[in-house]
Structure formats: structure tokens, C-alpha cells
Amino acid sequence: MSVGSVDALFVRTLGHADPLRAASAVRQACHDEMHAGEGDSNARAASEAAVWSLVELLMADRIDRSKGSSHLPMPSISHGGGAGVMMERSGSGLREAVLVRHWLEVGASLFFFPSSSSASFPSSMLLNASSVSFGVPSDELERMASAVMYYLRRGRHDAAYQYCCECNAPALGTLLPVPLCLPKNKHLELLNSKIKQQPSQLSSSSSPLSSSRPLISATARLERTHTTPTSASAAAAANQRHIPNASQPSSSSSNSASVWSGNSRRALVRSIASVASGSSVLQSFPHLSAWYGLLGHNLEAILPVCPSWHDQLWAYLFIITADSDRAASANQLMVEALNTLSTSSNDRVRREAHDFMWTAVKLLILGTAPAMTHLLTLLRDAPAHHIRFAAHLGIFLTRCQLWDTSSWLDAVSHVISRYVDQLIQEKQYDIIASYAAQIPSEDLQVEVYIRFLTSSARDSDKSNNHRDFYLQLAEKAGLNVRRIASQLVDSIIQHPDSVAPVQKSVHDSNAPTVPLLRIPESGSVWESLSPADQARIQSLEWMAYSARSSAAARAEIFTFVNALAKAYILDSNVTALAAVFEQIDSLLPTLLGDVRADMSADPANASVTNLLLRDHICLRQYSELQLAYSEWYSLWQSKPPVPLAPSPDELRQHFSSVRYKEQLRQFDREMESWMASANDSSSRVVTAARELVCFPGGWLSDSGDQVQELRAKCIPEAFSHWHRVLFENKDYGAALNLSTIIAVSRWTMPRL
């Protein structure tokens, strides 16, 4: 399973009310990836699946407790005393210690690779027969203890006892420690069910059970020689009184094999086992010593057979959860254990303690906002797969609503932003909106998504870059599309080099057919624009998406169009000014009508919208005047030339005379056509100029320095164009009247 599959499953759960669904989805996806991958990929997926299973367990329990719905412990073989009672009395510390220990035991089969402690041992490490009185051959006892420790490390007390019985050593089976009493947790039950799906894990070549078949037959022969033959079940029942988690049943019970509860000799058994685990006799037999260490709560005897960080953490938690005297200070003891492992003398343990994923486990166990904030801040130089894990973890924990401190929210925002940048590099464009929407700060949401949109616009591969498509994804994810579009347009207008204009659109069969930025048809004013002006004008397309359905967005796009038009007027960039209105007309052909309808539907904002609409119409009139005058001027410069008259001598020649007369007739025809076009063009210029200078209420009547500068530039230009057209058309009377009006009204001109 690829990284994209993990992301897709996680994104699908974001809309679910239960945040634990996200943890389950990622854990399952990583678990599948673990079985599908190879080498480093397999190890990374295993570590991530392991951590997500712990997240699921701990957070489910913490959420339940935060709601006051903490469950009672599940029944186990220790009904009458010990762990079950301690769980109810000691609160969250022991509960979490039990959950973490169980996670380590189940994880040893599901996620962690088998350690070398389950391998067979050389004969030099085995006991002498004279030192053993358990009814088991001395040269097999250390191998048997190794197998028992293998099962106990995986929480398989039942398998360990069955193994002892199959070896015809049920007496040793009575020396097993107390199984865990687990709190009720549906995620815990799901994790337990995974073990049943992995039968090959305990029957593989690395399992001691498969390598111990000769041991069973050998011990069977010796048992027949030195003991009374008996079945394994009968031996177990006969030795039930010696099991540390059992004592003699009450006399009223009719079924003595099933109601054993507690043990009045528990302290004595523990004391003897503790002394035995430290005995010099067992120094050469680490697994047998560790077995007794579990019974006697002797940590120093257990650690030598725990080669890894998670093995040693299990040993610490085993002692904490098994000892009722330590239950009240379980939280403090867990913190001390984690700190001790970080400074262990074992190189491997110390190295693994500083590995990112195991650091995540440590901080998850601590479970405080500062600890988790520190975890997310460790990502400054983290590899890509760690950033993915931290982003998912940050989103999940934020949705659990256990912490809302500013430092935590800042850390979550930072790590999601980093992951979005990573998705941009990997071109995982379709899921970026979903992740950006999980950033707690809306300001950063907008900033991150704008960064994505500008990056995708610079991408040379345009097949997946579609403006409306990405804005639709943002809207579906809950992002503020209008704000994103307006800030993106503002950014491009200020820094047009940040986005290169698209030269052609390439359509992808799996995405919408609307390209990221459309280019107007060739032959328009667009071709004469600079790349910077093209980028500025193209940016209006981002706002068109919201303007089609939102009255506020339509008013906002007027603001940007008017500002851009004013800037081009002051810069005397008539071509770019015309391109602005050409672009907006192609994007929103019914914009003016829609805005007028908005004003009727929302009288409260009608005054502001009306002012924007007036300015827009005034600016559009100036653009139309400039276009009309440019057309007229080009036409006037292309006036047909009068044919050159031949000399008198040439006119006396018949051929020259006929040719000249034909040229005059051709000139008359061209002049007639030109005059018709010139009259139409002149009429358009005069009409545009008259509408501009006679605009009701005054052209751009709003106050402000820029408005006064625009009026001082545009109104005289309008009169100048008007007068020149009249004069060139030899309409001298109208030209004189216009000049008189200008002269008489020179003091009132600013009010026109």
C-alpha cells in the first residue's frame, strides 16, 4: 500500500464525528503497507502501525475518562484480588500502564520483529542434572525457560502453560506470573483479535515451540521414569494451589477447578522467587533467572534477556502493573522508566530510545500538551515519512480536543504546513485541500493553500492544474475560498513574477477541462501585453469562481478590477486596461446585471455596491473611449492617398490618360468606403467622450487623491480626443463650440 493510500484513507475519515476512526484507518493502512513492503519500507510501516495502535488505545481510554465514562476492568483469572481491584482504585496511571504493557505484548507478535532471545542455546549454558529437582532434564531447562519467556513477552500465558504441560512439566506451568486484567476498550478488543489472524507468527521457524519437539519427547521419557504418569490437565489441577494467582476455593463451591481466586501465599512466593532470580546458581541461565524475576518482581533479573528498547520498557511496565505497592505511583514510575531507558548503558536500547518513532511512543505515554508539542517540534530535520506521521498525529489529537493551548496549535499548524509542502513536491494535489483545512489557524490555511495554488501554476506539467477543480476541492474541505481567491489575486498583482502565465492548456481525462488560467483568443489585445501584465489580468480568474454564486464575491471582484484599471490608467497602459475589461467580460458576461440584482435583493449594502458599480462603469467608459480613439486614429492614418497626376505630355497619351482616370475612379470608391468607416468611428469617439464628460453626478465623483489625479488625466484627454475628431472631420463649427464650452467652463471643469 502506497503513501497515497494511507493519505486517502485518512482523508476519508476526516468528516466522521468519531476521531478514533482516523486512527483506526491509518493503523490498518500502515499494517497493510507493512505486509506489502520490503526492507526499510517494511520496518517504517511496522513502526508506524505500532505507534498508531498505541495512539488508538490510549486516546480511546483518555477520551472515555474525559467524558466521565471510564469502564470497569474486563473479567480475568484474577477476579478476587490483585490487578482488577488495583485498576479500580488507582485511576488513570495504572490503567495506562496496563494498556501500554498490553500494547507491547501484542505488538511483539504484530509489529516488532522477533528478538534473538527465542533461539536455542549452546550446551555450555545449560544446567547440570544434579542441580535440578523440577522433574525436567537439566540440559533442557534453559531452553524451556527461553520458550516460556518468549510467550510471556507476547502476553501468551495460556500458550506458556500449554507449552509446559506438553513438555510434561506442569509444575513449572504453575510458576507463571499473573496475566493482565485489561480495562474494557473496543479498540483493545480489536487489537487482540489481530493475534488470532496471525497463527504463523507462533509456529514459524523462529518460534521455540517448533524447535522444542525433541524436548517434549525427551522429557516424556524421563517423566515416566521418575514420576507417576498423569495427564497434563490432571497435573495442572493437582498443582493449582501453587499458582501465584490462585488459592484454595471456598468450601461451598462445587467446582474447585474454576473458582480459585487470590493467593494467601502470594508474598511468600514472590519473596522466594526474588531471591532465586538473583542466585549465583542461575547466573549462567538468564532466561530462567528472568522467569523467576517476573515472579519476584526483580527488574535486574529481567533486563538481561530484553535486548531492545521496547523489550526493556515491557519489563519495567510488567513490574509496575504486577506490584500492588507500586500502583498508586504508576505515572511517576513510568516517567522514571522512560528517562532511565534514555540513558541506558545498553547501546542498542539507548540508540532506540532516541529514534523518532520510539520518542513518539514515550511522549504519547507521558500524554501532556507540552510533551506532544515537543514531539511535533522535533520535525525540523525529520524524513518525509516522519512528517507524514506527525501531521496525521497532530490532526488526530487536535480533533480529540484534549488540548487547546496556543503552543500546541502552533505546532500542529507548523507540521501540517510542512506536510502540505511535501505533498506539493510529490504532486499529490487532490488531497491538499483536505489537509490545509485541518490547520487550526484560518490565516495559515489561506496562506498554505495560496502557496499550493501558486506552486501548481508554476509547475510545467499542466495536466492536473485546473482552477475551478482546486477551488471546488477547497470549498468542499471547508476552506474560505473567497478569501483565498482575493488574497491570491492581490499577491499576484503585487508580485506578478510569482506565477508565470500559462501559454497553452492541456486537458487531462481525469480532471475538469477548464485550464488553470485561460488565454484569450489570438488577435486580441492580449498578444501585446507583457508577461507581468498577463499574470495580473489572468489572476482575476481565481475570483470568478466565487463571483458566479456569491454577491459578496461579485462586489469584491469589482474592487480588484477597479483598482487594477486605475493603476493602468495612471500608467497610461491603454492596452492592458482594455485587456482587463475583455477578461472580466469573458469570465462573467452577466456581471453587471447580477450586481444590479444584488443591490435590489440587499438594500443594506446597496450604497457601497452602487459606488463600486459607478466607478466600474466610469473606468469602462474611459477604456471604450481609448479603444474608439485608437481605432479612429489608425483609420485616419490609413486614409487612401490621392493618385499622382501625370504630366501634360503623359495625359496626351491615350494609355496614360485611361490609366489615370481609372485610378481616380478607384480612389473615389476607396474614399467613399473610408469616409463611411471614418464617420462611424468618429461617431463612436464623440459618443464615448460625451458620455464620459457628461456622466451623471460627475465622472469618478468619489473623493480622494487618486480620484483627483485620474480626473485631471482622463477628462482633458476626453475633450482633446473629441475636439480633434471634430476638427479632422472638418466639422469646424462643432469644434469651435466645444472649444468655447471648455473655455467658458474652465473653472467648473472639475465638476463635470
Side-chain angles (χ1 to χ4, degrees):
M1 180 170 289
S2 65
V3 172
S5 301
V6 175
D7 289 324
L9 287 174
F10 184 80
V11 167
R12 258 183 247 156
T13 65
L14 292 177
H16 200 277
D18 183 8
L20 293 171
R21 288 283 294 271
S24 299
V26 176
R27 186 251 309 146
Q28 185 60 49
C30 294
H31 194 269
D32 295 341
E33 184 180 340
M34 176 183 71
H35 291 293
E38 297 179 356
D40 293 341
S41 174
N42 192 335
R44 287 195 300 266
S47 297
E48 193 168 340
V51 177
W52 275 108
S53 64
L54 177 63
V55 170
E56 194 175 356
L57 287 178
L58 290 180
M59 298 313 298
D61 189 66
R62 289 170 185 172
I63 291 173
D64 282 348
R65 285 189 282 108
S66 69
K67 296 177 180 178
S69 57
S70 180
H71 298 291
L72 294 175
M74 292 173 63
S76 73
I77 60 174
S78 56
H79 302 305
V85 176
M86 291 192 295
M87 288 287 292
E88 297 180 39
R89 292 178 180 172
S90 55
S92 63
L94 184 61
R95 287 178 64 87
E96 294 198 353
V98 168
L99 289 175
V100 176
R101 173 186 158 188
H102 182 70
W103 168 74
L104 289 167
E105 290 175 346
V106 174
S109 296
L110 287 180
F111 311 114
F112 314 139
F113 297 105
S115 65
S116 59
S117 59
S118 62
S120 58
F121 290 85
S123 58
S124 60
M125 298 180 62
L126 302 180
L127 284 170
N128 295 321
S130 59
S131 65
V132 179
S133 58
F134 295 102
V136 177
S138 59
D139 59 345
E140 300 288 356
L141 190 53
E142 175 64 11
R143 269 188 64 193
M144 184 175 181
S146 172
V148 170
M149 286 298 298
Y150 175 91
Y151 288 120
L152 294 180
R153 170 63 184 88
R154 286 149 180 77
R156 299 298 309 276
H157 292 67
D158 54 341
Y161 182 76
Q162 180 184 1
Y163 177 75
C164 292
C165 293
E166 288 180 352
C167 292
N168 287 330
L172 289 179
T174 64
L175 296 178
L176 298 176
V178 184
L180 272 177
C181 179
L182 301 172
K184 229 176 223 183
N185 187 310
K186 64 181 180 181
H187 301 277
L188 189 66
E189 296 170 8
L190 180 61
L191 187 63
N192 290 338
S193 68
K194 293 290 182 181
I195 284 290
K196 300 176 182 178
Q197 301 172 15
Q198 308 245 345
S200 61
Q201 187 71 25
L202 294 177
S203 60
S204 63
S205 59
S206 63
S207 171
L209 195 59
S210 61
S211 61
S212 62
R213 292 303 175 187
L215 171 66
I216 296 176
S217 58
T219 52
R221 289 195 299 271
L222 287 168
E223 286 290 337
R224 284 195 294 272
T225 304
H226 298 288
T227 64
T228 303
T230 180
S231 67
S233 58
N239 290 282
Q240 190 70 265
R241 68 183 67 253
H242 302 296
I243 297 180
N245 66 323
S247 63
Q248 187 172 358
S250 60
S251 57
S252 60
S253 172
S254 59
N255 187 0
S256 61
S258 60
V259 295
W260 294 83
S261 63
N263 182 3
S264 60
R265 301 181 181 85
R266 182 187 297 272
L268 178 60
V269 171
R270 189 173 104 180
S271 176
I272 295 174
S274 178
V275 173
S277 64
S279 172
S280 58
V281 177
L282 299 181
Q283 287 181 357
S284 300
F285 308 98
H287 291 85
L288 186 59
S289 177
W291 185 354
Y292 275 100
L294 294 177
L295 289 172
H297 302 173
N298 184 357
L299 182 65
E300 298 302 323
I302 307 172
L303 292 180
V305 298
C306 298
S308 65
W309 181 86
H310 51 80
D311 288 332
Q312 293 206 0
L313 178 60
W314 170 80
Y316 277 95
L317 293 178
F318 187 98
I319 300 301
I320 293 172
T321 55
D323 189 350
S324 59
D325 296 335
R326 304 173 192 256
S329 56
N331 270 333
Q332 179 183 350
L333 292 173
M334 279 197 294
V335 173
E336 292 175 358
L338 292 169
N339 292 334
T340 301
L341 292 175
S342 298
T343 58
S344 172
S345 58
N346 185 314
D347 292 340
R348 176 182 172 183
V349 172
R350 187 172 60 255
R351 184 178 65 254
E352 290 181 351
H354 294 90
D355 178 80
F356 177 82
M357 298 306 288
W358 300 127
T359 301
V361 169
K362 178 174 70 174
L363 296 175
L364 279 167
I365 293 172
L366 296 177
T368 62
M372 300 311 300
T373 302
H374 176 66
L375 169 62
L376 298 188
T377 56
L378 294 176
L379 289 166
R380 300 190 185 277
D381 301 315
H385 58 279
H386 286 167
I387 296 177
R388 179 189 78 168
F389 164 76
H392 289 166
L393 183 63
I395 294 171
F396 166 74
L397 295 177
T398 301
R399 294 187 65 210
C400 290
Q401 299 180 348
L402 296 179
W403 310 300
D404 58 357
T405 62
S406 59
S407 58
W408 164 254
L409 296 179
D410 289 345
V412 172
S413 298
H414 171 76
V415 74
I416 299 176
S417 176
R418 284 282 310 276
Y419 188 52
V420 169
D421 290 341
Q422 181 175 309
L423 292 174
I424 292 173
Q425 294 177 3
E426 297 172 355
K427 299 184 180 181
Q428 300 285 337
Y429 295 150
D430 293 354
I431 59 175
I432 287 177
S434 299
Y435 282 99
Q438 302 306 312
I439 298 176
S441 167
E442 182 177 312
D443 291 342
L444 191 55
Q445 286 181 1
V446 173
E447 178 185 334
V448 166
Y449 207 68
I450 287 176
R451 190 161 68 239
F452 154 60
L453 293 177
T454 54
S455 298
S456 63
R458 287 197 304 266
D459 190 354
S460 59
D461 179 12
K462 304 297 176 189
S463 60
N464 287 325
N465 295 337
H466 296 269
R467 169 182 41 82
D468 287 355
F469 177 61
Y470 293 132
L471 292 178
Q472 287 171 4
L473 291 178
E475 188 174 49
K476 184 178 179 181
L479 294 171
N480 190 334
V481 174
R482 178 185 155 197
R483 185 178 173 188
I484 289 171
S486 62
Q487 290 192 17
L488 175 60
V489 172
D490 184 65
S491 173
I492 295 175
I493 289 175
Q494 298 297 327
H495 307 284
D497 294 337
S498 63
V499 179
V502 182
Q503 299 304 322
K504 62 179 181 178
S505 54
V506 181
H507 302 306
D508 180 19
S509 59
N510 298 323
T513 57
V514 181
L516 181 70
L517 295 172
R518 283 194 294 260
I519 300 298
E521 297 291 337
S522 60
S524 68
V525 296
W526 190 265
E527 296 176 347
S528 59
L529 295 177
S530 67
D533 288 333
Q534 289 184 16
R536 290 188 180 99
I537 297 169
Q538 282 178 338
S539 67
L540 296 174
E541 297 194 13
W542 294 107
M543 302 187 69
Y545 175 80
S546 298
R548 295 188 184 101
S549 57
S550 168
R554 283 191 284 271
E556 191 170 29
I557 199 172
F558 265 145
T559 303
F560 278 90
V561 170
N562 293 352
L564 197 57
K566 291 175 182 179
Y568 283 135
I569 291 174
L570 293 175
D571 195 38
S572 299
N573 194 340
V574 178
T575 305
L577 176 65
V580 169
F581 293 108
E582 180 180 320
Q583 179 81 336
I584 204 68
D585 288 342
S586 66
L587 292 173
L588 301 168
T590 62
L591 178 62
L592 296 180
D594 293 339
V595 170
R596 290 189 177 96
D598 295 337
M599 292 170 57
S600 301
D602 186 12
N605 296 320
S607 59
V608 176
T609 307
N610 181 61
L611 185 60
L612 292 172
L613 182 59
R614 278 177 51 86
D615 283 357
H616 183 81
I617 294 174
C618 290
L619 297 170
R620 186 181 286 269
Q621 285 179 340
Y622 178 79
S623 176
E624 291 172 353
L625 171 62
Q626 292 292 357
L627 287 176
Y629 182 77
S630 298
E631 181 185 357
W632 173 85
Y633 185 79
S634 299
L635 187 63
W636 194 262
Q637 295 298 318
S638 62
K639 183 177 181 179
V642 179
L644 183 63
S647 64
D649 294 337
E650 290 179 335
L651 284 176
R652 284 192 292 268
Q653 296 179 6
H654 177 72
F655 176 77
S656 298
S657 175
V658 172
R659 183 179 64 182
Y660 178 63
K661 290 178 182 179
E662 181 61 29
Q663 288 175 346
L664 288 176
R665 283 193 294 270
Q666 180 67 23
F667 169 75
D668 290 339
R669 288 193 297 269
E670 291 177 356
M671 193 64 184
E672 182 180 0
S673 175
W674 178 86
M675 285 298 296
S677 300
N679 288 335
D680 289 342
S681 181
S682 300
S683 177
R684 285 195 293 271
V685 173
V686 170
T687 301
R690 181 185 295 111
E691 289 179 350
L692 188 150
V693 299
C694 299
F695 190 83
W699 190 82
L700 285 184
S701 58
D702 190 19
S703 60
D705 295 339
Q706 189 182 48
V707 171
Q708 295 302 322
E709 187 178 358
L710 287 166
R711 287 171 58 82
K713 174 181 174 60
C714 298
I715 294 178
E717 282 186 7
F719 277 108
S720 176
H721 295 339
W722 190 357
H723 184 271
R724 182 172 182 181
V725 167
L726 294 175
F727 186 84
E728 294 292 347
N729 285 341
K730 295 182 174 53
D731 193 351
Y732 300 123
L736 180 60
N737 290 335
L738 182 61
S739 300
T740 303
I741 293 173
I742 295 172
V744 171
S745 307
R746 64 185 183 277
W747 302 113
T748 60
M749 183 72 70
R751 294 198 298 273
L752 287 176

